[in-house]
């Protein structure tokens, strides 16, 4: 089993790029498979999650040529998918599983969706229940709460749905179902979750509009959309490890190029800035309807901060690494309203608390967050203890967060079971090594 050993004591310096955005890559594969003609997706995320979505569409009859720098997708139009001849395995990907469930519910064929042991534990009822209200026929373990899911494609109808959770996976699952449904689909959520699906629908000319806080989608649009070239921005959630790493390790100065800075994703910049971080957003520009910039980060003394429910959706995937920043900051950090962390690739409140405590951090778990008493002293970041028994719990973001935490430690840190890093950031170890100076 793969593991990662981190030797502390070196600053992070230099310029880097990160993998293409995982969320945008999933959506680009889906929408270009349904487009007419060829599309080229460059700088796509080559993590296993997105490759599983690519393989899913290949199994559904779409030709996709995989090259290291680009995917060539030969779309067959909105109604061009065909039945796969076996179960589709989404691996570790909640996004892949939930988005495909919505999309496949409205086809005229049968599909079985499954995934790894973590996916088979994660809640699927949050999409299955509203999809059934749209007429979907979906069976699964525990009444459809757990994958594998068996989807008997059928004629759906649009509904008016208010999601109890701010979740882009729920929103996108229902928008993909709504695309194939009769009539109008209306969707509301308690706070705005990442809006990549909406942006991409609009950039392809799919008739989705915003009416106050409600998304309104015309199902079965009269005309389809055409394939094209898409440049995927760098993944902010991958950049996040270096934003924190360079902030907490004295003497660091790092520039991350071509990072997506969609405001529904960049809560970590606001939180770190409030903690005292030095982050410059440079060369702002737009790519395929998504804002992009270069991010320069220099080490700084961090202090504790309060993160409440209003900041959760735009920071959701960055809590594992934010915990590392809070653990070495001066003073207390309180995170609340973040109960969604309990149903991610691992229960991230439990796994990060346990792992960082083993490295000397002072953390109290709350049902919906945590209180972290930072180890820093006035004007200085503190240091963790190293550990030779760090565990990823099969969660890529936990693995990378512990590796960054290890850079601040007194002794070496070994993180076990780091194969999961490949789900989103296959070159993480090499990228990190390239920034570590003597
Ligand atoms: C994602 C949505 C978020 C996020 C996940 C990716 C997406 O999940 O945590 O990593 O691409 O739609 P939720 O919708 O469960 O919040």
């Amino acid at each position: 089993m793969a593991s990662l050993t981190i030797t502390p004591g070196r600053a992070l310096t230099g310029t880097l790029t990160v993998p293409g955005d995982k969320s945008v890559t999933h959506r680009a594969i889906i929408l270009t498979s349904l487009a007419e003609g060829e599309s080229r997706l460059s700088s796509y995320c080559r993590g296993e999650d997105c490759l599983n979505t690519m393989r899913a569409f290949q199994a559904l009859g779409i030709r996709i040529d995989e090259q290291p720098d680009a995917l060539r997708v030969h779309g067959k139009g909105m109604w061009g998918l065909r039945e796969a001849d076996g179960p589709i395995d989404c691996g570790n990907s909640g996004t892949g599983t939930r988005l495909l469930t919505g999309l496949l519910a409205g086809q005229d064929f049968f599909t079985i969706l499954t995934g790894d042991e973590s996916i088979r534990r994660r809640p699927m009822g949050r999409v299955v229940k509203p999809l059934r209200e749209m007429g979907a026929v979906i069976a699964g373990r525990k009444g459809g709460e757990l994958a594998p899911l068996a989807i008997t494609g059928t004629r759906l109808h649009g509904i008016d749905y208010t999601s109890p959770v701010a979740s882009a996976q729920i929103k996108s699952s229902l928008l993909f179902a709504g695309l194939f449904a009769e009539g109008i689909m209306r969707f509301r959520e308690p706070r705005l979750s990442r809006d990549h699906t909406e942006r991409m629908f609009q950039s392809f000319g799919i008739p989705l509009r915003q009416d106050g806080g409600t998304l309104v989608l015309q199902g079965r649009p009269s005309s389809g959309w055409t394939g094209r070239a898409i440049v995927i921005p760098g993944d902010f959630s991958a950049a996040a490890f270096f934003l924190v790493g360079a902030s907490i390790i004295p003497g660091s100065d790092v520039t991350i190029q071509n990072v997506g800075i969609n405001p529904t994703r960049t809560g970590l910049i606001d939180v770190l800035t409030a903690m005292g971080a030095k982050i410059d957003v440079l060369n702002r520009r737009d790519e395929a309807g998504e804002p992009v910039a270069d991010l320069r980060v220099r080490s700084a003394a961090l202090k504790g901060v309060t993160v409440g429910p209003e900041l959760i959706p735009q920071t959701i995937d960055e809590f594992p690494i934010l915990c590392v920043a809070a653990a070495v900051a001066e003073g207390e950090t309180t995170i609340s309203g973040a109960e969604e962390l309990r149903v991610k690739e691992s229960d991230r409140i439990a796994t990060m608390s346990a792992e960082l405590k083993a490295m000397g951090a002072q953390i109290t778990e709350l049902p919906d967050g945590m209180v972290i008493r930072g180890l820093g002293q006035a004007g200085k970041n503190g240091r963790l203890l190293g550990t030779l028994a760090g565990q990823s719990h099969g969660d890529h973001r936990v693995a990378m967060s512990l590796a960054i935490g290890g850079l601040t430690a007194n002794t070496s840190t070994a993180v076990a079971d780091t194969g999961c890093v490949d789900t989103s950031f296959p070159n993480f170890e090499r990228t990190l090594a390239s920034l570590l100076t003597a």
Side-chain angles (χ1 to χ4, degrees):
M1 202 177 270
S3 70
L4 199 54
T5 300
I6 300 290
T7 311
R10 289 170 295 170
L12 295 174
T13 53
T15 299
L16 72 147
T17 55
V18 288
D21 189 280
K22 185 154 76 72
S23 292
V24 175
T25 302
H26 282 296
R27 287 153 174 85
I29 293 171
I30 297 173
L31 282 174
T32 58
S33 292
L34 301 175
E36 272 141 32
E38 196 178 309
S39 296
R40 184 174 193 273
L41 313 184
S42 49
S43 308
Y44 70 104
C45 176
R46 298 201 80 199
E48 272 302 310
D49 277 11
C50 294
L51 294 179
N52 278 321
T53 291
M54 175 196 76
R55 289 174 200 126
F57 280 89
Q58 289 170 331
L60 292 163
I62 303 298
R63 181 178 150 203
I64 304 179
D65 304 326
E66 183 190 352
Q67 297 154 354
D69 59 334
L71 289 179
R72 272 184 195 283
V73 183
H74 302 260
K76 290 187 14 191
M78 210 182 130
W79 297 100
L81 301 180
R82 62 153 168 75
E83 185 168 278
D85 58 13
I88 290 180
D89 187 347
C90 296
N92 190 243
S93 179
T95 305
T97 310
R98 295 194 179 109
L99 271 50
L100 282 173
T101 301
L103 172 70
L104 294 167
Q107 307 298 318
D108 59 0
F109 54 76
F110 174 78
T111 315
I112 293 180
L113 287 183
T114 190
D116 68 7
E117 179 262 331
S118 153
I119 273 298
R120 284 180 273 116
R121 269 189 279 120
R122 296 181 66 186
M124 295 298 155
R126 52 178 54 199
V127 294
V128 168
K129 187 176 154 287
L131 288 170
R132 283 177 178 161
E133 284 175 32
M134 296 175 75
V137 179
I138 304 175
R141 289 159 55 230
K142 290 221 163 37
E145 186 53 43
L146 298 176
L149 299 176
I151 304 163
T152 305
T154 190
R155 248 182 137 81
L156 305 178
H157 53 86
I159 57 168
D160 187 322
Y161 190 69
T162 302
S163 175
V165 189
S167 156
Q169 293 179 3
I170 298 177
K171 173 169 62 181
S172 307
S173 182
L174 297 188
L175 289 177
F176 282 120
L179 195 53
F180 290 89
E182 278 166 356
I184 306 268
M185 177 80 204
R186 288 193 171 78
F187 180 88
R188 254 165 262 106
E189 56 185 345
R191 293 180 197 279
L192 180 64
S193 64
R194 64 189 65 191
D195 63 359
H196 304 300
T197 302
E198 296 94 297
R199 285 174 186 255
M200 210 176 280
F201 270 38
Q202 278 154 358
S203 77
F204 274 113
I206 297 169
L208 173 69
R209 61 186 174 81
Q210 186 97 32
D211 182 3
T214 305
L215 289 170
V216 183
L217 174 66
Q218 172 62 58
R220 303 185 171 222
S222 50
S223 57
W225 54 97
T226 324
R228 61 178 164 80
I230 299 180
V231 182
I232 314 271
D235 197 329
F236 182 83
S237 297
F241 300 104
F242 303 100
L243 293 179
V244 169
S247 292
I248 62 179
I249 299 156
S252 295
D253 185 349
V254 162
T255 299
I256 315 160
Q257 294 175 317
N258 299 325
V259 186
I261 53 159
N262 180 319
T264 61
R265 295 287 298 281
T266 52
L268 183 73
I269 294 187
D270 304 327
V271 176
L272 284 177
T273 303
M275 295 175 84
K278 289 188 205 152
I279 300 172
D280 298 313
V281 180
L282 309 166
N283 303 323
R284 286 174 190 266
R285 55 209 183 267
D286 244 55
E287 261 165 31
E290 292 281 347
V292 174
D294 303 331
L295 303 176
R296 180 178 180 198
V297 53
R298 283 166 286 172
S299 52
L302 301 186
K303 55 184 187 317
V305 72
T306 299
V307 183
E310 67 292 345
L311 266 168
I312 304 301
Q314 62 272 45
T315 318
I316 191 69
D317 288 344
E318 282 59 74
F319 282 100
I321 191 62
L322 179 60
C323 289
V324 173
V328 299
E330 182 206 341
E332 200 167 274
T333 292
T334 305
I335 298 165
S336 63
E339 55 279 347
E340 275 294 295
L341 294 177
R342 296 217 178 261
V343 291
K344 293 295 176 188
E345 285 85 329
S346 69
D347 173 345
R348 288 181 173 159
I349 295 176
T351 50
M352 285 309 295
S353 298
E355 294 303 318
L356 286 178
K357 273 189 198 167
M359 294 173 79
Q362 297 171 9
I363 303 184
T364 307
E365 263 191 54
L366 306 172
D368 65 340
M370 53 234 278
V371 178
I372 304 168
R373 281 167 298 284
L375 300 168
Q377 288 131 29
K380 260 179 86 208
N381 295 324
R383 295 176 79 82
L384 291 163
L385 307 169
T387 174
L388 288 173
Q391 286 294 331
S392 73
H393 301 263
D395 184 331
H396 55 133
R397 301 204 196 282
V398 172
M400 291 184 272
S401 299
L402 296 180
I404 296 294
L407 291 172
T408 72
N410 290 322
T411 56
S412 293
T413 292
V415 187
D417 190 11
T418 51
C420 53
V421 166
D422 288 352
T423 61
S424 64
F425 200 156
N427 280 327
F428 174 74
E429 190 174 358
R430 203 179 316 151
T431 305
L432 180 59
S434 74
L435 299 172
L436 287 168
T437 49

